[in-house]
C-alpha cells in the first residue's frame, strides 16, 4: 500500500496539470452563455481559478490530502458526497462482472487445457480472442435488442424496477440493501437488471482469465508432481481440480487485479448504455460539463480503488500460494 | 523473411494477416468499390431504414444511406486513425524507453514514474476528458489516444533495452568506442523491433476499439462521417426494428480488431518463442 502512495500523488498532480493546461474554461461553462465578462471573472476568483497554476496545484494537493475533494463546479455540491452516492453502484457492477468472469473463465480455461488442441480447446480460444475484440457498447446494444426489446425477458435499463423503487439505503449496494430489508421482489428485480450489464462488462475479463488459466494449467501439467500423482492413480478430474488448478491459479489471480483498471474503463461505456447511475455516468457528465473538480476526484477515487484491489490481490495470492510470501517461488 | 514464413505456418495468425490485408485493400480502394460512394455525405430520405436487400445488402440507415457503402468507407477512417495513433505513440514511447532502459539513475526513474502515472490514469476517462476539453473531433480523439497509448511502447522498449544492454555485442561495441546513441539506434533498436512490432499490431486493434468507443460516446468522429462507432450510436433510437443498422458496423469493428489481435498473437509466437507464455 505504501508503494502505491507516490504513484497516487503523481496521479493527483498529473491529472491536475492536464486538466488545467488543456483549453476549456470551466468558469465560462458554469456562468452560462449569457454571462458578462465580469460575472465570469467573479466565478473564476471564487474558485481560485485566477491564481497561478502552480499555486492552484499546491492548494489542490493540500485539499486532497486532508480529504477535501472540493465542490462540484457544476452542481455546487461536495464532490465527495456525490461520489459516495454513486460509487457503490459501480463497485457492485464491477464486482458482479469480475465474479462472472472468474466463475466462467476459470472452468473454461481448465476445460481447454485438459482438452489441449481438441475441439473444446479451439472453441475456448476462439471465445477468448473474440471476447477481447468485441466492442462492449455494441455487444450491450445487441443484447438489449434481443433480450429486452424483442424477447422482453430482461429489463432494458436502470438498476431496479421504477415501480418498486429503491430499498432503504444502508450500504448503497443494492443487492445487500435488498437482502437487509428482506425484500425478495426488489432483490430479484435488481438481479435481473444487473444481468445484462454485468455480462457485457465481464466478457473481456472472462477472455483474459480463460486464457491465463489455460496456459497456467498447461504449464503445471508438465510438472513432476503431476506425473507422480498420475502414477499414484489419481483420476483426471480430481488431479485437475485439487492439485493442478491450485498451482496454476496464482497467475490468474494476478490477472484479476490487473483487469480491474479495464473494468472501470469498461464501466464508463456499459453504464452509459444501460443508464446505470454509477461513477462512469458521473464521469461522463463531469466531462461534458467541463467540471474538472468532479473529474479529478473520480480519477483519484478510481486510482485508490485500483491500488486497494491490487493489495487485496497480493494478499490473496499469498494465501493461495504460500511460496509467494516466503520468496521461494 | 523467416519471420513471415514462421507466421504463415500458424493458420490462425495467417487468417488474421489475410483479413488485415483485405481491410487495407478495402480502405485504399473504398471510393471505387463502395456501391454508393456519395453516401458518405448525401442523404436520401425517401429510402430510409430499408431492410437488407439485393440493392442494399446491409440495408439503409436513418438518412437513407447505404450501410454497406458506409462500412466500406469507414474502413479507411478506422485504419487511418489507428495507424496515426500507433505511429505517434511509438514516436513518444520509443525514445523514452530507450533513454530509461540504457542507464539506471534519476533520468530513468523520472521517465518510468511518468510512464507509470500515465498507465494508472484510466485510459478511457483521460481520452474522454481530452476529447471534450479540446473540442470533440477525430483529430482530438487521435491526440488523446496517442497520449494514452505511448506508455505501452515505453514499457516494451524499456524492458528490451534493459535486456539487451548487458549483451556481449553491446559490450563489444562500447569497447571499440561506439557512441551510446549509435549503439541504441543502430544495434539495440533493431533487436527490439520484433517486440515493438507485436505491441504495435495489438495496439492497432486496441486503438480501433477505443476510437469506436469515443465515436459512440460522441467525442470522436462527428456526423456525417461514416464512422463505425458513430453509426452504432445513431442506430440506437431505431431499435429493435432496424436491427441491421447497428449490426453491420459493429461486426466490422469485431472483424478488424479480431484480425489484428490474431496477427499480433501470431507475430509474438513467431518472433520469440520465449515470449509465448507472457501473453497479455
Amino acid at each position: 500500500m505504501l508503494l502505491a502512495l507516490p504513484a497516487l500523488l503523481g496521479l493527483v498532480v498529473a491529472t491536475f496539470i492536464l486538466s488545467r493546461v488543456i483549453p476549456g474554461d470551466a468558469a465560462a461553462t458554469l456562468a452560462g452563455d449569457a454571462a458578462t465578462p465580469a460575472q465570469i471573472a467573479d466565478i473564476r476568483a471564487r474558485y481560485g481559478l485566477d491564481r497561478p497554476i502552480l499555486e492552484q496545484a499546491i492548494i489542490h494537493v493540500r485539499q486532497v490530502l486532508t480529504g477535501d475533494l472540493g465542490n462540484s463546479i457544476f452542481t455546487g455540491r461536495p464532490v465527495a458526497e456525490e461520489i459516495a452516492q454513486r460509487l457503490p453502484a459501480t463497485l457492485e457492477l464491477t464486482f458482479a462482472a469480475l465474479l462472472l468472469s472468474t466463475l466462467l473463465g476459470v472452468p473454461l480455461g481448465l476445460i481447454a487445457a485438459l482438452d489441449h488442441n481438441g475441439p473444446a480447446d479451439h472453441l475456448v480460444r476462439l471465445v477468448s480472442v473474440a471476447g477481447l475484440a468485441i466492442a462492449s457498447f455494441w455487444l450491450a446494444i445487441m443484447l438489449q435488442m434481443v433480450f429486452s426489446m424483442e424477447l422482453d425477458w430482461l429489463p432494458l435499463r436502470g438498476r431496479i424496477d421504477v415501480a418498486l423503487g429503491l430499498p432503504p439505503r444502508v450500504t448503497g449496494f443494492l443487492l445487500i440493501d435488498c437482502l437487509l430489508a428482506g425484500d425478495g421482489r426488489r432483490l430479484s428485480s435488481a438481479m435481473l437488471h444487473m444481468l445484462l450489464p454485468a455480462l457485457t462488462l465481464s466478457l473481456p475479463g472472462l477472455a483474459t482469465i480463460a486464457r491465463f488459466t489455460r496456459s497456467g494449467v498447461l504449464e503445471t501439467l508438465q510438472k513432476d508432481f503431476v506425473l507422480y500423482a498420475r502414477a499414484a492413480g489419481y483420476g483426471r478430474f480430481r488431479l485437475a481440480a485439487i492439485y493442478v488448478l491450485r498451482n496454476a491459479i496464482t497467475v490468474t489471480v494476478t490477472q484479476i487485479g490487473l483487469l480491474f483498471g479495464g473494468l472501470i474503463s469498461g464501466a464508463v461505456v456499459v453504464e452509459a448504455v444501460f443508464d446505470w447511475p454509477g461513477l462512469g455516468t458521473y464521469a461522463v457528465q463531469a466531462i461534458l460539463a467541463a467540471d474538472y473538480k468532479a473529474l479529478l476526484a473520480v480519477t483519484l477515487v478510481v486510482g485508490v480503488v485500483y491500488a486497494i484491489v491490487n493489495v487485496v490481490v497480493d494478499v490473496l495470492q499469498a494465501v493461495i500460494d504460500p511460496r509467494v510470501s516466503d520468496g521461494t517461488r | 523473411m523467416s519471420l513471415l514464413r514462421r507466421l504463415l505456418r500458424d493458420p490462425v495468425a495467417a487468417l488474421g494477416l489475410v483479413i488485415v490485408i483485405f481491410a487495407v485493400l478495402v480502405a485504399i480502394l473504398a471510393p471505387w468499390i463502395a456501391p454508393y460512394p456519395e453516401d458518405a455525405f448525401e442523404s436520401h430520405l425517401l429510402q430510409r431504414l430499408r431492410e437488407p436487400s439485393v440493392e442494399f445488402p446491409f440495408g439503409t440507415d436513418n438518412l437513407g444511406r447505404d450501410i454497406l457503402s458506409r462500412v466500406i468507407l469507414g474502413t479507411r477512417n478506422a485504419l487511418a486513425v489507428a495507424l496515426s495513433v500507433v505511429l505517434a505513440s511509438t514516436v513518444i514511447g520509443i525514445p523514452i524507453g530507450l533513454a530509461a532502459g540504457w542507464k539506471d539513475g534519476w533520468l530513468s526513474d523520472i521517465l518510468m514514474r511518468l510512464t507509470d502515472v500515465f498507465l494508472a490514469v484510466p485510459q478511457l476517462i483521460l481520452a474522454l476528458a481530452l476529447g471534450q476539453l479540446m473540442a470533440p473531433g477525430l483529430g482530438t480523439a487521435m491526440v488523446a489516444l496517442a497520449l494514452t497509448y505511448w506508455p505501452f511502447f515505453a514499457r516494451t522498449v524499456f524492458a528490451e533495452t534493459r535486456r539487451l544492454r548487458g549483451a556481449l555485442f553491446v559490450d563489444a561495441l562500447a569497447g571499440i568506442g561506439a557512441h551510446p546513441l549509435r549503439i541504441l539506434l543502430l544495434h539495440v533498436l533493431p533487436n527490439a523491433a520484433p517486440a515493438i512490432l507485436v505491441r504495435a499490431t495489438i495496439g492497432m486493434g486496441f486503438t480501433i476499439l477505443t476510437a469506436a468507443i469515443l465515436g459512440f460516446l460522441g467525442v470522436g468522429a462527428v456526423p456525417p462521417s461514416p464512422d463505425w462507432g458513430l453509426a452504432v450510436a445513431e442506430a440506437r433510437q431505431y431499435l429493435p426494428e432496424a436491427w441491421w443498422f447497428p449490426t453491420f458496423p459493429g461486426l466490422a469493428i469485431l472483424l478488424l480488431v479480431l484480425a489484428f489481435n490474431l496477427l499480433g498473437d501470431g507475430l509474438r509466437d513467431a518472433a520469440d518463442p520465449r515470449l509465448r507464455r507472457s501473453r497479455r
Side-chain angles (χ1 to χ4, degrees):
Chain A
M1 191 65 211
L2 282 176
L3 284 175
L5 282 179
L8 282 179
L9 197 64
L11 186 64
V12 176
V13 177
T15 47
F16 178 81
I17 292 171
L18 264 177
S19 72
R20 303 303 298 134
V21 294
I22 43 188
D25 191 342
T29 315
L30 185 64
D33 292 336
T36 62
Q39 283 171 319
I40 295 177
D42 182 46
I43 288 170
R44 207 166 274 150
R46 201 186 314 153
Y47 286 97
L49 296 171
D50 54 345
R51 305 211 183 127
I53 185 144
L54 203 63
E55 194 185 329
Q56 286 188 45
I58 293 171
I59 294 174
H60 174 70
V61 172
R62 196 186 296 150
Q63 281 180 340
V64 168
L65 287 179
T66 54
D68 176 13
L69 295 176
N71 286 354
S72 158
I73 293 199
F74 190 59
T75 62
R77 296 206 329 217
V79 172
E81 214 172 85
E82 293 191 328
I83 288 181
Q85 190 73 30
R86 283 161 167 272
L87 186 62
T90 296
L91 287 182
E92 197 169 30
L93 182 62
T94 40
F95 284 144
L98 209 52
L99 198 68
L100 268 181
S101 29
T102 315
L103 289 182
L104 297 174
V106 170
L108 280 179
L110 183 66
I111 291 167
L114 292 178
D115 187 35
H116 189 36
N117 283 331
D121 191 18
H122 289 307
L123 192 67
V124 169
R125 278 174 68 189
L126 186 72
V127 169
S128 68
V129 181
L132 290 174
I134 209 161
S136 55
F137 63 88
W138 181 68
L139 178 67
I141 288 173
M142 291 318 239
L143 289 173
Q144 274 185 334
M145 189 170 81
V146 174
F147 293 103
S148 309
M149 296 171 171
E150 283 291 343
L151 298 171
D152 202 17
W153 287 353
L154 290 166
L156 187 60
R157 54 169 64 107
R159 281 180 91 187
I160 196 163
D161 200 335
V162 186
L164 287 172
L166 292 168
R169 186 185 171 97
V170 184
T171 60
F173 291 86
L174 204 49
L175 296 186
I176 298 178
D177 283 357
C178 287
L179 273 177
L180 287 177
D183 191 334
R185 280 181 58 206
R186 283 204 177 93
L187 182 67
S188 65
S189 168
M191 285 174 84
L192 285 177
H193 276 80
M194 190 182 272
L195 195 60
L196 286 184
L199 198 66
T200 311
L201 193 55
S202 75
L203 199 62
L206 190 157
T208 312
I209 288 176
R211 212 169 162 170
F212 275 87
T213 308
R214 175 180 173 274
S215 63
V217 170
L218 280 179
E219 200 183 326
T220 313
L221 283 174
Q222 309 294 321
K223 297 264 168 75
D224 286 343
F225 78 88
V226 174
L227 192 67
Y228 169 76
R230 259 192 196 154
Y234 276 100
R236 205 173 149 79
F237 179 75
R238 196 154 166 224
L239 182 74
I242 300 176
Y243 292 102
V244 176
L245 200 56
R246 185 162 174 178
N247 271 281
I249 206 86
T250 41
V251 192
T252 310
V253 175
T254 320
Q255 280 306 311
I256 294 175
L258 295 174
L259 277 175
F260 203 77
L263 276 177
I264 296 278
S265 284
V268 174
V269 178
V270 173
E271 287 184 7
V273 177
F274 288 99
D275 277 340
W276 193 264
L279 221 48
T281 40
Y282 186 66
V284 173
Q285 271 172 28
I287 289 162
L288 294 179
D291 188 346
Y292 81 93
K293 276 281 184 193
L295 191 63
L296 290 179
V298 170
T299 318
L300 182 70
V301 169
V302 170
V304 172
V305 171
Y306 185 69
I308 292 173
V309 167
N310 277 292
V311 172
V312 171
V313 164
D314 284 349
V315 174
L316 251 177
Q317 241 178 346
V319 171
I320 295 175
D321 188 348
R323 289 171 299 178
V324 171
S325 54
D326 60 39
T328 50
R329 196 179 145 88
Chain B
M1 226 54 253
S2 73
L3 181 72
L4 187 64
R5 203 170 307 132
R6 254 180 292 167
L7 181 74
L8 291 179
R9 214 175 292 150
D10 177 358
V12 181
L15 178 70
L17 184 64
V18 168
I19 299 175
V20 168
I21 291 174
F22 175 73
V24 170
L25 287 178
V26 167
I28 293 171
L29 302 173
W32 294 283
I33 56 174
Y36 307 91
E38 73 283 356
D39 277 9
F41 302 104
E42 285 177 13
S43 50
H44 320 277
L45 291 174
L46 285 177
Q47 54 187 41
R48 64 199 299 263
L49 298 175
R50 294 256 175 95
E51 275 185 28
S53 60
V54 181
E55 199 184 351
F56 306 109
F58 289 0
T60 65
D61 67 8
N62 56 329
L63 296 176
R65 300 170 299 194
D66 176 41
I67 293 178
L68 173 62
S69 298
R70 289 178 65 78
V71 167
I72 290 175
L73 295 163
T75 314
R76 193 176 258 204
N77 275 9
L79 281 176
V81 168
L83 201 60
S84 327
V85 167
V86 168
L87 280 179
S89 307
T90 55
V91 169
I92 308 173
I94 291 178
I96 290 182
L98 284 174
W102 181 243
K103 266 202 175 72
D104 294 329
W106 60 269
L107 181 66
S108 171
D109 283 343
I110 288 178
L111 290 177
M112 288 326 284
R113 287 300 83 73
L114 185 72
T115 308
D116 284 346
V117 166
F118 270 88
L119 275 178
V121 181
Q123 208 165 21
L124 190 61
I125 291 184
L126 185 63
L128 275 173
L130 285 170
Q132 178 61 23
L133 292 171
M134 288 163 66
L138 207 53
T140 317
M142 280 155 63
V143 172
L145 289 172
L147 274 179
T148 48
Y149 204 70
W150 69 264
F152 292 99
F153 282 102
R155 266 307 188 44
T156 306
V157 176
F158 173 73
E160 286 292 295
T161 310
R162 291 199 87 164
R163 181 173 72 79
L164 290 162
R165 73 176 177 193
L168 206 55
F169 74 92
V170 171
D171 276 350
L173 283 163
I176 58 171
H179 193 273
L181 213 57
R182 185 188 173 87
I183 302 180
L184 278 176
L185 293 181
L186 294 184
H187 300 278
V188 171
L189 193 56
N191 274 294
I196 297 173
L197 188 66
V198 169
R199 172 49 73 193
T201 311
I202 292 174
M204 288 290 293
F206 186 82
T207 307
I208 292 168
L209 209 51
T210 319
I213 292 174
L214 292 181
F216 173 77
L217 290 175
V219 287
V222 282
S225 161
D227 183 80
W228 296 340
L230 194 61
V232 176
E234 287 169 344
R236 280 190 81 188
Q237 59 188 110
Y238 303 102
L239 296 180
E241 291 78 20
W243 58 268
W244 58 89
F245 190 177
T247 303
F248 294 106
L251 282 177
I253 300 172
L254 175 63
L255 193 66
L256 193 52
V257 177
L258 190 69
F260 274 111
N261 287 358
L262 292 177
L263 184 61
D265 279 0
L267 275 174
R268 188 191 330 240
D269 287 355
D272 189 352
R274 283 177 303 123
L275 287 176
R276 251 171 220 175
R277 286 207 196 95
S278 58
R279 292 177 166 219
R280 195 192 113 90

